[in-house]
Amino acid sequence: MRQWTPSPPSATGRQATTGPAGHALAGMVHRLGEPGFASGLLQDLAPVLPAASWSVYRTGHRCKPTLFMSASLGVPDTTQDCWWAYLSGPYRHDRTWGRSFDEAAPAESPTRLCHLTAREVDGEHRARVYEAHGVAERVSVVEYESDGSVFAVNFYRHQHQKPFRDAHIGGFEAVAPVLLALARKHIALSHSDTLAPAAWPRSGSAGLALPQAEHPARHGRLPASLPALRERLLRLHADFTDRELDVCARLLQGMTHEGIASDLGLGVPTVKTYRNRAFARLGIHFRNELFARVLSG
């Protein structure tokens, strides 16, 4: 794993505005604010960095971990599943940024580039996120924020792809500051209700979920409210107890076990017990199976 500071604009500006990089950035600018920005950006960037998927998120101990956008190109899109897997535990001990979330942002430059392979990721994080979803390599441009959290724009190579070459990493470095600015601008244009850090729950607040603009309910697939989710669950199995409904509805909202425990005033083991009982009624074992059953029910 390595980290470094982007080269100053005078050294990269010409590279970023000419050749494949310039064409890529022009396409991205035209897509700003449009629904197809996330998937289109991967296509635009492919001549510079042939990534199979990407994501933009904020994570840390003093913020609400939030996935703003993600997409895949040429492979089944499992970026949402990767995010659920990340929230299931690895985010609490994420060491892939080369620093603790409890550290303040570096005064000299809060922006860094990061490059790592799956084998450099700690065991649980590697198994649940990288190996389970065929991810082999990541390059990121990140901003360390004043509360220690990280705003990251990440691009992933999958196992079927050849490793990123030095030319790919160099091309990415040339456009990384612009990618960071474009990601923030797109969020500002399309997800304005997720922007203000002051409005985000701090550590210990109930629930860690996708922002409303990215939640599956916003795409007509799941209702957003707890009562509506409970009703959908009861259609699947009329014998759910109230607590099983409470837990499963919150799982469908994207909350972690810790968030559900805080919200309901329960211990995490108790939350898992209710989850396991509900899953046993449905004959399933994983959260994504719950989503599939509710969506098809």
Side-chain angles (χ1 to χ4, degrees), residues 77-89:
D77 188 6
T78 61
T79 52
Q80 296 272 347
D81 291 333
C82 286
W83 181 246
W84 302 131
Y86 181 68
L87 290 187
S88 71

Side-chain angles (χ1 to χ4, degrees), residues 171-183:
F172 175 72
E173 179 176 359
V175 300
V178 184
L179 289 172
L180 187 65
L182 287 172

Side-chain angles (χ1 to χ4, degrees), residues 33-292:
E34 297 182 357
F37 177 80
S39 57
L41 184 141
L42 276 179
Q43 298 177 35
D44 295 332
L45 191 65
V48 180
L49 183 74
S53 60
W54 80 302
S55 64
V56 180
Y57 59 71
R58 185 174 188 258
T59 186
H61 292 165
R62 299 187 180 93
C63 73
K64 173 183 179 181
T66 304
L67 178 67
F68 293 100
M69 68 186 96
S70 64
S72 295
L73 178 66
V75 296
D77 188 6
T78 61
T79 52
Q80 296 272 347
D81 291 333
C82 286
W83 181 246
W84 302 131
Y86 181 68
L87 290 187
S88 71
Y91 84 94
R92 292 192 296 269
H93 310 289
D94 188 353
R95 298 186 180 90
T96 64
W97 307 112
R99 61 192 295 280
S100 167
F101 287 140
D102 295 323
E103 296 178 33
E108 67 280 6
S109 175
T111 303
R112 291 282 191 276
L113 299 177
C114 303
H115 177 215
L116 58 80
T117 60
R119 65 177 178 270
E120 296 174 287
V121 181
D122 288 345
E124 179 194 26
H125 190 169
R126 181 176 66 250
R128 293 193 184 188
V129 180
Y130 285 75
E131 293 176 349
H133 300 94
V135 178
E137 191 174 5
R138 187 191 82 197
V139 291
S140 308
V141 55
V142 306
E143 283 186 336
Y144 298 120
E145 303 190 341
S146 59
D147 63 357
S149 62
V150 172
F151 179 86
V153 180
N154 313 286
F155 295 87
Y156 306 94
R157 173 179 69 85
H158 287 225
Q159 292 172 356
H160 71 282
Q161 297 177 292
K162 295 180 179 179
F164 291 142
R165 302 194 304 269
D166 289 344
H168 295 146
I169 304 301
F172 175 72
E173 179 176 359
V175 300
V178 184
L179 289 172
L180 187 65
L182 287 172
R184 285 198 178 274
K185 185 63 175 179
H186 180 72
I187 295 168
L189 291 172
S190 55
H191 305 144
S192 59
D193 60 328
T194 67
L195 285 181
W200 293 345
R202 297 299 178 186
S203 179
S205 295
L208 299 172
L210 288 176
Q212 292 298 317
E214 287 291 327
H215 196 278
R218 296 297 181 184
H219 299 281
R221 298 197 295 268
L222 281 179
S225 69
L226 286 170
L229 288 169
R230 288 168 63 97
E231 181 180 345
R232 290 286 286 270
L233 288 163
L234 283 171
R235 292 180 195 170
L236 291 179
H237 205 293
D239 292 333
F240 278 132
T241 68
D242 283 341
R243 277 309 194 197
E244 290 166 0
L245 291 170
D246 289 339
V247 168
C248 287
R250 286 163 175 78
L251 287 173
L252 291 169
Q253 286 190 323
M255 295 172 66
T256 63
H257 296 125
E258 290 79 5
I260 296 171
S262 176
D263 197 29
L264 296 178
L266 303 173
V268 172
T270 305
V271 168
K272 292 182 178 179
T273 296
Y274 287 126
R275 177 207 61 189
N276 291 342
R277 290 176 182 172
F279 282 12
R281 294 184 192 277
L282 297 175
I284 61 175
H285 298 89
F286 303 104
R287 184 197 297 249
N288 61 347
E289 293 178 288
L290 178 64
F291 273 91

